[in-house]
């Protein structure tokens, strides 16, 4: 009968020596029943005393992580005293029922992560809005200071501060992609903006010994939102830097293409290509999902926001990636 139980069951004496094990326990622990008989509970699960202590302390979750030949398993268990169940001994006996809940634990962790991210992302728009005005005020005060600088040394210091402020603006913009479209009613010099962005990114990449280059063609003013173009470039470029080890390369290109041969319609194309780690088919299939990330400190919102901004402009984002060839991400939008 106990072999038909869907949960794993072990019964031990008061010293934690296993006196009974069912088929499910043997399957879960990867050991034949006769190996388990007589073994110490401590060897296969945890010391009996620890399980008793957890029960007494009233901890809500009765869980253990165990190591099965290098595979980490999380098991949920219940411990009860079952005197006289297995043998005629009057001594205390303990029944431990347990289940593999590794997947449940993973899902719980994922749920908690998503909840905390969603709390943060709700606060972000307000935070960015609050930062905007003081940021602009500091920026213009610094510009004035630069103009009125009494000497070259002061001007250089102010320039250094301005460069850092510019970098901060870029980070803020990367996040403020929010619900914006890539398209704008106003025309702007996207190429100039991208060259400036590249300068900032290149400085940023210096510390990571990644080789960076850019090929940004001269373009007439385009009906695109430069803040969004910059934010997309920023997100793609930073992902590429993350994917590249020392000695890798990242290239940012942008140009205007003819929509079709002989047509006057034009397409703006921006591309970030790297020689980094690339994506497996599974990652490639999911990388545009909101909150999907393979990084321990990732947010998983970069590509999702880029995709949204491109979609809103009826554009496309194409991702070409494989573990041995690196990654190329291109966005295209009619202009
Ligand atoms: N250039 C790239 N090379 C390899 N993997 C990438 C690249 N860009 C994105 N990815 C994969 O897509 C995932 C999602 O990217 P993203 O949305 O920017 O979130 P995050 O950077 O916070 O992880 C990354 O965690 C990574 O696995
Ligand atoms: Mg990213």
């Amino acid at each position: 009968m106990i072999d038909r139980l869907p949960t794993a069951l072990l019964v031990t004496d008061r010293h934690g020596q296993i006196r009974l094990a069912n088929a499910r326990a043997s399957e879960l622990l990867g050991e034949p029943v006769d190996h388990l008989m007589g073994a110490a509970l401590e060897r296969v699960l945890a010391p009996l005393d620890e399980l008793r202590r957890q029960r007494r302390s009233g901890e809500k979750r009765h869980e253990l992580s165990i190591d099965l030949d290098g595979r980490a398993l999380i098991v949920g268990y219940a411990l009860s005293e079952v005197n006289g169940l297995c043998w005629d001994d009057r001594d205390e006996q303990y029944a431990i029922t347990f289940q593999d809940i590794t997947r449940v634990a993973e899902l719980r962790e994922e749920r908690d992560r998503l909840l905390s991210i969603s709390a943060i992302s709700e606060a972000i728009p307000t935070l960015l809005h609050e930062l905007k005005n003081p940021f602009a005020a500091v920026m213009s005060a610094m510009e004035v200071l630069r103009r009125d600088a009494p000497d070259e040394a002061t001007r250089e210091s102010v320039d250094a501060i301005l460069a850092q402020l510019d970098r901060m603006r870029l980070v803020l913009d990367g996040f403020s992609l929010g619900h914006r479209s890539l398209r704008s009613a106003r025309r702007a010099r996207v190429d100039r903006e991208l060259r400036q962005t590249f300068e900032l990114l290149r400085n940023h990449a210096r510390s990571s010994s990644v080789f960076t280059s850019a090929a940004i063609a001269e373009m007439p003013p385009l009906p695109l939102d430069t803040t969004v173009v910059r934010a997309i470039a920023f997100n793609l470029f930073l992902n590429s830097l993350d994917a590249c080890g020392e000695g890798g390369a990242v290239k940012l290109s942008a140009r205007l293409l003819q929509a079709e041969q002989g047509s006057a319609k034009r397409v703006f194309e921006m591309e970030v290509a790297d020689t980094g780690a690339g994506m497996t088919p599974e990652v490639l299939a999911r990388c545009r999902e909101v909150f999907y990330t393979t990084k321990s400190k990732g947010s998983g919102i970069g590509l999702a926001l880029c995709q949204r901004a491109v979609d809103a402009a009826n554009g496309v984002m194409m991702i070409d990636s494989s573990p041995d060839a690196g990654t190329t991400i291109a966005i295209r939008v009619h202009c």
Side-chain angles (χ1 to χ4, degrees):
M1 190 191 86
I2 61 162
D3 278 343
R4 277 198 236 120
L5 280 180
T7 43
L9 169 75
L10 294 175
V11 178
T12 74
D13 62 17
R14 71 189 166 94
H15 307 293
Q17 193 180 35
I18 299 172
R19 308 290 291 264
L20 185 85
N22 74 347
R24 184 73 192 110
S26 142
E27 190 185 326
L28 216 155
L29 297 169
E31 282 190 47
V33 171
D34 56 345
H35 267 204
L36 292 171
M37 296 296 224
L41 184 67
E42 181 169 1
R43 181 178 68 74
V44 297
L45 272 184
L48 180 63
D49 282 347
E50 190 184 319
L51 305 192
R52 291 174 59 190
R53 189 192 50 76
Q54 269 199 16
R55 188 174 65 149
R56 273 199 309 272
S57 70
E59 276 172 38
K60 250 223 212 98
R61 285 182 186 153
H62 287 178
E63 285 176 20
L64 291 171
S65 352
I66 56 174
D67 180 78
L68 273 189
D69 294 332
R71 196 163 55 96
L73 212 64
I74 300 174
V75 298
Y77 72 90
L79 172 77
S80 35
E81 232 180 287
V82 288
N83 297 352
L85 177 74
C86 300
W87 56 97
D88 265 352
D89 201 336
R90 299 202 66 116
D91 243 1
E92 302 136 59
Q93 295 156 32
Y94 294 92
I96 302 112
T97 48
F98 56 105
Q99 263 176 313
D100 177 2
I101 57 159
T102 312
R103 184 74 193 122
V104 178
E106 276 168 13
L107 286 175
R108 197 168 56 213
E109 207 170 277
E110 179 67 4
R111 179 204 61 194
D112 291 347
R113 198 178 70 85
L114 290 182
L115 283 176
S116 62
I117 290 178
S118 86
I120 294 168
S121 48
E122 261 167 44
I124 283 179
T126 322
L127 184 72
L128 289 174
H129 192 77
E130 292 297 323
L131 283 176
K132 224 168 209 158
N133 288 335
F135 193 82
V138 172
M139 207 65 176
S140 48
M142 292 312 285
E143 307 268 7
V144 171
L145 203 62
R146 185 183 188 286
R147 200 192 54 209
D148 299 343
D151 52 55
E152 197 50 37
T154 313
R155 191 166 302 134
E156 270 173 24
S157 306
V158 174
D159 273 344
I161 296 172
L162 277 169
Q164 293 302 322
L165 285 173
D166 233 9
R167 229 170 106 178
M168 278 170 63
R169 190 169 58 120
L170 208 61
V171 176
L172 291 178
D173 284 350
F175 273 104
S176 59
L177 212 47
H179 295 279
R180 293 170 77 153
S181 164
L182 180 56
R183 201 175 299 284
S184 156
R186 281 212 340 244
R187 290 182 177 267
R189 288 301 301 260
V190 174
D191 51 350
R192 283 189 200 155
E193 191 67 40
L194 276 176
R195 280 193 202 103
Q196 277 181 16
T197 304
F198 177 68
E199 284 311 312
L200 293 170
L201 287 166
R202 184 160 68 171
N203 280 335
H204 180 74
R206 237 166 232 151
S207 55
S208 53
S209 328
V210 173
F211 181 76
T212 56
S213 60
I216 298 160
E218 284 283 318
M219 288 175 258
L222 299 173
L224 299 177
D225 185 330
T226 50
T227 308
V228 177
V229 174
R230 191 171 53 204
I232 294 177
F234 189 76
N235 275 299
L236 299 184
F237 209 92
L238 288 190
N239 277 346
S240 286
L241 286 180
D242 285 343
C244 282
E246 215 168 286
V250 184
K251 182 174 183 179
L252 168 69
S253 340
R255 60 198 157 163
L256 218 44
L257 308 168
Q258 235 174 9
E260 286 137 32
Q261 200 139 45
S263 138
K265 279 198 190 140
R266 298 166 312 176
V267 172
F268 168 75
E269 183 187 71
M270 176 165 80
E271 187 182 276
V272 175
D274 68 60
T275 60
M279 298 185 224
T280 61
E282 202 242 331
V283 175
L284 181 59
R286 299 196 56 194
C287 66
R288 303 170 205 232
E289 284 175 23
V290 192
F291 302 141
Y292 178 80
T293 181
T294 56
K295 305 170 191 172
S296 59
K297 292 213 172 102
S299 63
I301 57 179
L303 287 185
L305 289 182
C306 291
Q307 182 71 56
R308 216 188 286 174
V310 171
D311 284 347
N314 288 323
V316 288
M317 178 161 86
M318 290 159 297
I319 307 182
D320 189 6
S321 182
S322 74
D324 31 56
T327 303
T328 299
I329 303 188
I331 62 154
R332 282 196 195 144
V333 58
H334 279 277
C335 277

